Amino acid sequence: MTEDSQRNFRSVYYEKVGFRGVEEKKSLEILLKDDRLDIEKLCTFSQRFPLPSMYRALVWKVLLGILPLHHESHAQVMMYRKGQYSDVLHALKVVRFVNDATPQVEVFLRMYQLESGKLPRSPSFPLKPEDEVFLAIAKAMEEMVEDSVDCYWIIRCFVNQLNSKYRDSLPQLVRDLCWLLAGGGRVSSGIGSLQETPLPLGAATVKSRPSVVGVSRCFL
């Protein structure tokens, strides 16, 4: 029996006895043992398989650029990240924007606002739509990442990626998604034509269609 056939047999067996993902976990562990992490392989793995919870934060930090690709630099870089986190949090407490009773996701939001130069004059000012998007993402991340420093940096870099790479594409993403929900053709074969094609009503009514807000929140 060849190595590939043995691996396929084990995968099927593990899945049948309730241990789905065992082979995937082993594959990820092999990728994470490389002296220099392969970002392309980690991206491909993350797109094809669910990440095991024990490695989720590490992989996300590497993919988002929070950690470098070389293992020996991880501890030092995270020490700098923790220092920056502590400095920003201390500054917010000094100006009385947050305190020990402030919900953690709101602390994350104020930290992000301060670092991006968007901190309002008063914490009583109403939130902007982009702040609501940040909070929705932060609440989801908080449920998956236990460490507050890791959680903040993942949220911060994820939101930055979302804003820098996909902000201009949001209206088109909404149109593409509505087309699919209404029974349209494959996005890959019809993206160009969708720009000039009215959205079909059918399966998705006007009220139930995805909005730019929903897409920008990644439906969280």
Side-chain angles (χ1 to χ4, degrees):
M1 185 179 291
T2 66
E3 183 178 349
D4 287 340
S5 61
Q6 286 180 335
R7 184 180 297 110
N8 292 335
F9 172 79
R10 287 198 302 270
S11 297
V12 173
Y13 172 77
Y14 284 139
E15 186 170 343
K16 284 187 176 180
V17 297
F19 291 97
R20 184 177 182 180
V22 172
E23 287 294 300
E24 288 80 0
K25 181 182 176 183
K26 289 182 179 179
S27 299
L28 179 59
E29 289 173 346
I30 292 173
L31 290 177
L32 294 175
K33 286 180 181 178
D34 289 342
D35 181 50
R36 186 181 188 278
L37 298 175
D38 191 319
I39 196 85
E40 302 248 342
K41 289 182 179 179
L42 286 175
C43 282
T44 300
F45 183 93
S46 300
Q47 291 169 351
R48 294 184 60 188
F49 308 108
L51 289 172
S53 58
M54 62 187 299
Y55 297 121
R56 186 183 295 145
L58 172 59
V59 174
W60 283 353
K61 286 189 291 183
V62 172
L63 294 181
L64 291 169
I66 300 166
L67 287 176
L69 300 181
H70 292 281
H71 283 286
E72 64 267 19
S73 303
H74 285 188
Q76 185 175 12
V77 170
M78 279 313 299
M79 182 179 68
Y80 292 143
R81 302 293 191 197
K82 290 178 181 178
Q84 184 175 340
Y85 177 95
S86 298
D87 291 343
V88 175
L89 181 58
H90 177 70
L92 287 171
K93 288 182 176 180
V94 169
V95 296
R96 298 182 180 178
F97 253 79
V98 301
N99 54 51
D100 293 338
T102 306
Q104 190 64 57
V105 291
E106 186 177 333
V107 172
F108 291 152
L109 172 63
R110 298 309 184 187
M111 292 178 67
Y112 182 76
Q113 288 175 329
L114 180 59
E115 289 200 283
S116 58
K118 298 179 180 179
L119 190 69
R121 295 182 180 180
S122 168
S124 61
F125 280 21
L127 297 177
K128 297 179 180 180
E130 62 189 55
D131 299 329
E132 298 285 358
V133 169
F134 184 98
L135 288 174
I137 294 172
K139 288 176 183 177
M141 289 294 184
E142 188 184 30
E143 294 179 0
M144 295 183 282
V145 182
E146 295 182 2
D147 185 84
S148 58
V149 176
D150 284 350
C151 191
Y152 171 69
W153 277 102
I154 290 172
I155 297 165
R156 178 184 186 271
C157 293
F158 181 85
V159 170
N160 284 341
Q161 288 273 0
L162 194 63
N163 290 336
S164 63
K165 291 189 175 182
Y166 303 108
R167 179 183 290 276
D168 295 337
S169 305
L170 288 180
Q172 185 60 40
L173 288 174
V174 173
R175 292 177 63 84
D176 292 347
L177 187 54
C178 287
W179 181 269
L180 286 176
L181 292 176
R186 293 181 180 179
V187 173
S188 59
S189 63
I191 288 180
S193 61
L194 288 180
Q195 296 178 354
E196 304 299 331
T197 305
L199 288 175
L201 294 176
T205 64
V206 174
K207 289 185 179 181
S208 65
R209 290 183 185 184
S211 65
V212 172
V213 174
V215 175
S216 64
R217 291 184 179 187
C218 303
F219 298 101
L220 298 173

